[in-house]
Amino acid sequence: MNHFGFGLIFLGIMVVLWARTAARKSAASARKSPWSRPPSVPIRAAKIDSLGLVSVSRQRNASDTSPTYNSKTEVHMNPISAVIFIIFLGGAVLSRLAGMPISVTVVLAVIGVFLGYSVKMAQQWERAVILRLGKLHAVKGPGLFILVPIFDAVATWIDQRIRTTEVNAEQALTRDTVPVNVDAIVFWMVHDAERAALEIADYVSAVQRVAQTSLREMIGSSLLSELLSDRKTADAALKEVIGAKTAEWGVTVNSVEIRDVAIPANLQDAMSRQAQAEREKQARVILGSAEEEVAQKFVNAAKLYAQSPEALQLRAMNIIYETTKERGATILMPSHMVDAMNPGVAFALAGQTPSGPAAGGPSVPLVGRTPS
């Protein structure tokens, strides 16, 4: 009987060690061959956290950049359950060494195994979906919770932190048939762990697929100018479309941001030349408007000078003064130009009588003219 008890305990320890080793090897092989591994959720559901010792490998999706999904393995046997398991297993060994009946040893070992399996602990951001006899029983967490051995099993662990998923659409045609490459980031989280575990097999991959198809649909229904100039509207439209599709799975889309819109190089050159032509056209229109405004001002000034010859004379004299004041040079002017500066002579040449003094009165002296 003594040998039988020690053999039973040794066999139990070997089974536990073998289970942990097999789990690590399977996780390592899955990471080495990403094309042959099945989805992460069925893996977790199939292992069912056997005795709380099976390490659950969280597979990393290629489009998921959340820190939760990495190449590390997470063991859901928490320190409390491990201590309970070690205490009862040590008690079983000590009882055997003390010569107690084999039944005491077996009972202590069984209690240690059951308690090590039953006591679970979820982190603040985790939720555990528990099945009882194959049916949904409860969603536990965060903190400690108890499972009924044999009847209860943790089907999956749901992370409720915000995650980021990168999506891209290569060579997608816009509504005006322009091929573009668009990169976007989707910020999402699981708000209903029950739906995420029961309604869909792999919600991480589903979110990525839905985001990618929605992005291509949005590009196909938008003009290139709208994508380049009004990204906020496109972001809001994508958030609404993707959120409506993922809400049934218990997933909430917080926001969608378009990072980059890449267009072909030849199209960039054509758009640059088009923008240059538009600016040149606008510059010429502005110059023409300025010329028209200047001409109108000259017409108004001519009408004003026609009504007041004295103003014209003063303006002519001012022009001469402005011309000679800086350099101090002597300027030779034709006599007819000097006569044009005298309103009396100008009207005499035109056969009109100037307003002001009566005919025969003193005439306005000629400016800058020597008698012939």
Side-chain angles (χ1 to χ4, degrees):
M1 293 297 293
N2 293 337
H3 295 288
F4 176 78
F6 280 111
L8 183 61
I9 295 173
F10 180 77
L11 181 60
I13 295 175
M14 292 301 296
V15 168
V16 171
L17 294 177
W18 175 83
R20 296 188 65 178
T21 304
R24 291 178 180 176
K25 289 183 178 180
S26 62
S29 61
R31 290 194 300 270
K32 290 181 180 179
S33 58
W35 298 105
S36 61
R37 67 190 181 205
S40 58
V41 173
I43 290 178
R44 292 196 296 268
K47 292 181 178 178
I48 309 296
D49 247 358
S50 300
L51 296 180
L53 298 174
V54 178
S55 59
V56 180
S57 177
R58 294 196 167 188
Q59 309 296 340
R60 178 186 178 94
N61 191 291
S63 62
D64 191 355
T65 58
S66 171
T68 302
Y69 286 81
N70 47 38
S71 59
K72 298 179 181 179
T73 58
E74 180 180 356
V75 180
H76 277 284
M77 182 177 180
N78 56 85
I80 297 178
S81 60
V83 169
I84 294 175
F85 176 77
I86 294 174
I87 290 176
F88 277 90
L89 190 62
V93 174
L94 292 177
S95 65
R96 213 40 253 162
L97 294 177
M100 294 184 179
I102 188 61
S103 59
V104 176
T105 302
V106 173
V107 169
L108 291 176
V110 171
I111 293 176
V113 171
F114 281 173
L115 289 180
Y117 168 81
S118 300
V119 179
K120 298 294 181 181
M121 182 177 64
Q123 303 295 333
Q124 180 65 35
W125 57 87
E126 287 182 327
R127 299 295 182 271
V129 180
I130 300 174
L131 300 181
R132 176 168 291 177
L133 298 178
K135 296 182 179 181
L136 178 66
H137 172 62
V139 178
K140 299 292 186 178
L144 293 174
F145 57 92
I146 304 297
L147 299 181
V148 178
I150 301 175
F151 296 98
D152 292 348
V154 178
T156 183
W157 297 82
I158 304 296
D159 193 326
Q160 291 193 317
R161 290 178 290 185
I162 296 178
R163 310 182 194 179
T164 58
T165 298
E166 297 181 4
V167 292
N168 56 68
E170 297 181 356
Q171 298 298 318
L173 293 177
T174 60
R175 194 169 66 181
D176 47 354
T177 64
V178 177
V180 295
N181 298 336
V182 180
D183 295 333
I185 300 179
V186 182
F187 296 86
W188 58 277
M189 62 176 295
V190 178
H191 69 271
D192 192 338
E194 179 179 339
R195 288 189 177 184
L198 301 181
E199 298 294 335
I200 190 167
D202 189 356
Y203 58 88
V204 177
S205 177
V207 169
Q208 194 270 338
R209 299 292 185 270
V210 167
Q212 190 170 20
T213 54
S214 300
L215 178 61
R216 299 188 75 91
E217 291 176 0
M218 186 274 297
I219 295 173
S221 60
S222 302
L223 297 174
L224 178 61
S225 58
E226 296 176 355
L227 288 177
L228 295 176
S229 61
D230 195 4
R231 293 190 182 183
K232 291 185 178 180
T233 302
D235 293 344
L238 278 175
K239 175 185 175 182
E240 182 178 357
V241 172
I242 300 174
K245 294 179 181 179
T246 59
E248 300 179 356
W249 311 333
V251 176
T252 299
V253 177
N254 297 336
S255 63
V256 180
E257 296 181 4
I258 296 178
R259 292 192 304 176
D260 185 28
V261 179
I263 58 178
N266 54 355
L267 182 58
Q268 292 182 14
D269 182 60
M271 293 177 65
S272 176
R273 287 187 280 108
Q274 179 184 3
Q276 184 178 359
E278 290 289 340
R279 290 187 175 274
E280 185 176 356
K281 173 186 175 183
Q282 186 178 4
R284 291 187 178 184
V285 170
I286 294 175
L287 180 60
S289 301
E291 291 288 344
E292 181 182 1
E293 186 176 354
V294 171
Q296 185 64 41
K297 294 295 183 182
F298 281 153
V299 171
N300 296 338
K303 291 180 180 179
L304 182 61
Y305 289 143
Q307 295 175 1
S308 179
E310 292 84 357
L312 178 61
Q313 183 186 16
L314 293 175
R315 177 59 179 161
M317 296 175 64
N318 181 260
I319 291 176
I320 296 175
Y321 172 73
E322 292 292 337
T323 305
T324 59
K325 72 175 182 179
E326 293 184 358
R327 299 183 181 179
T330 302
I331 299 177
L332 300 177
M333 302 176 60
S335 59
H336 64 84
M337 181 177 179
V338 177
D339 291 338
M341 296 180 186
N342 193 328
V345 176
F347 277 95
L349 294 176
Q352 300 179 3
T353 302
S355 60
S363 60
V364 179
L366 299 179
V367 178
R369 181 177 181 181
T370 59
S372 58

